[in-house]
Amino acid sequence: PPAGLLQVVKQCVRVPVFVMIRPRGGDFLYSDREVEVMKADIRLAKLHGADGLVFGALTEDGRIDTELCTALLAVCRPLPVTFHRAFDMVHDPLVALETLISLGFERVLTSGCDSSALEGLSLIKRLAEQAKGRIVVMPGGGITERNLQRILEGSTASEFHCSARSARDSGMKFRNPNVAMGASFSAPEYSIKVADVAKVRTLNAIAKNIL
């Protein structure tokens, strides 16, 4: 997020706020300039009150980039750090998990190297068993009110990640139907994705009933 968003969020909430460091979309193989941006973003996030950081970086052969991660972790100190779903693109997740533990990551976010946490459930459970409390294995990816119970029970996870979003129609009265800002098939300017309070409360209630 931009520094302004982080500042405002920190003023509005009391829960810990972890900031994702991601200079662009696409893969997780970063150039030297992109690494400079990531380090600068980490410093800004810390300056504006981040409680933790989230990032991921891979080598071209699908392994954890230990050299880059070590450098970024040094900039993050003393804040806790989560390795995000770049983990789902690794060549060998069981080896990658041990690498993250040795590097000092507190948590790893994963869909079990599949298209959703539900489909990757068996691997998530295997990772949690391998971790033995040395790192938090957090399922994420396609988690909803309909499948959360199954995922938590099937993975033995104590934390989970989801967007809990819904679409809200834009308040714009005038709309130009001939222009889509970068969208080929739709006009997202007139639909806004927002965190859905009702979904968050429902998910929390389900989790509290299980954990």
Side-chain angles (χ1 to χ4, degrees), residues 116-192:
S116 73
L118 190 59
E119 289 169 290
L121 193 53
S122 61
L123 178 58
I124 295 171
K125 183 180 181 183
R126 188 176 176 189
L127 290 166
E129 290 169 348
Q130 178 181 325
K132 294 178 181 174
R134 295 175 296 160
I135 189 172
V136 176
V137 177
M138 176 192 275
I143 294 181
T144 68
E145 310 95 299
R146 295 182 296 278
N147 61 28
L148 176 61
Q149 180 172 346
R150 184 176 166 191
I151 289 167
L152 290 181
E153 291 177 343
S155 66
T156 69
S158 59
E159 301 180 9
F160 68 96
H161 166 83
C162 64
S163 59
R165 288 184 300 185
S166 62
R168 185 180 72 199
D169 194 45
S170 165
M172 287 291 297
K173 296 288 189 285
F174 172 77
R175 302 186 181 193
N176 184 348
N178 301 315
V179 179
M181 298 293 182
S184 303
F185 306 107
S186 63
E189 296 79 26
Y190 302 118
S191 178
I192 304 165

Side-chain angles (χ1 to χ4, degrees), residues 4 16 44 46 53 61 67 76 86 90 105 118 126 132 134-136 142 163 187:
L44 282 171
K46 290 172 70 176
L53 287 307
D61 58 352
E67 185 178 346
C76 291
V90 297
F105 283 90
L118 190 59
R126 188 176 176 189
K132 294 178 181 174
R134 295 175 296 160
I135 189 172
V136 176
S163 59

Side-chain angles (χ1 to χ4, degrees), residues 2-203:
L5 176 59
L6 175 57
Q7 276 188 296
V8 174
V9 167
K10 286 292 295 180
Q11 291 166 8
C12 295
V13 304
R14 295 292 172 262
V15 296
V17 177
F18 279 49
V19 173
M20 186 161 76
I21 303 301
R22 181 111 160 92
R24 56 162 172 77
D27 64 30
F28 304 101
L29 184 66
Y30 295 112
S31 69
D32 291 344
R33 286 288 188 227
E34 287 167 339
V35 171
E36 288 181 30
V37 172
M38 294 171 84
K39 289 179 178 178
D41 280 341
I42 290 168
R43 294 186 188 103
L44 282 171
K46 290 172 70 176
L47 182 66
H48 293 294
D51 299 291
L53 287 307
V54 183
F55 65 78
L58 304 178
T59 61
E60 62 184 11
D61 58 352
R63 302 176 201 281
I64 305 296
D65 189 333
T66 55
E67 185 178 346
L68 175 52
C69 285
T70 298
L72 293 177
L73 283 164
V75 184
C76 291
R77 289 192 187 102
L79 298 182
V81 184
T82 297
F83 194 93
H84 61 43
R85 285 190 62 202
F87 184 84
D88 293 322
M89 302 298 187
V90 297
H91 175 71
D92 186 330
L94 302 182
V95 171
L97 185 70
E98 293 300 324
T99 302
L100 296 184
I101 292 168
S102 68
L103 288 170
F105 283 90
E106 180 186 78
R107 179 183 293 100
V108 57
L109 172 63
T110 178
S111 63
C113 300
D114 216 318
S115 56
S116 73
L118 190 59
E119 289 169 290
L121 193 53
S122 61
L123 178 58
I124 295 171
K125 183 180 181 183
R126 188 176 176 189
L127 290 166
E129 290 169 348
Q130 178 181 325
K132 294 178 181 174
R134 295 175 296 160
I135 189 172
V136 176
V137 177
M138 176 192 275
I143 294 181
T144 68
E145 310 95 299
R146 295 182 296 278
N147 61 28
L148 176 61
Q149 180 172 346
R150 184 176 166 191
I151 289 167
L152 290 181
E153 291 177 343
S155 66
T156 69
S158 59
E159 301 180 9
F160 68 96
H161 166 83
C162 64
S163 59
R165 288 184 300 185
S166 62
R168 185 180 72 199
D169 194 45
S170 165
M172 287 291 297
K173 296 288 189 285
F174 172 77
R175 302 186 181 193
N176 184 348
N178 301 315
V179 179
M181 298 293 182
S184 303
F185 306 107
S186 63
E189 296 79 26
Y190 302 118
S191 178
I192 304 165
K193 291 284 183 70
V194 297
D196 188 316
V197 175
K199 286 185 178 182
V200 172
R201 286 181 173 148
T202 300
L203 288 157

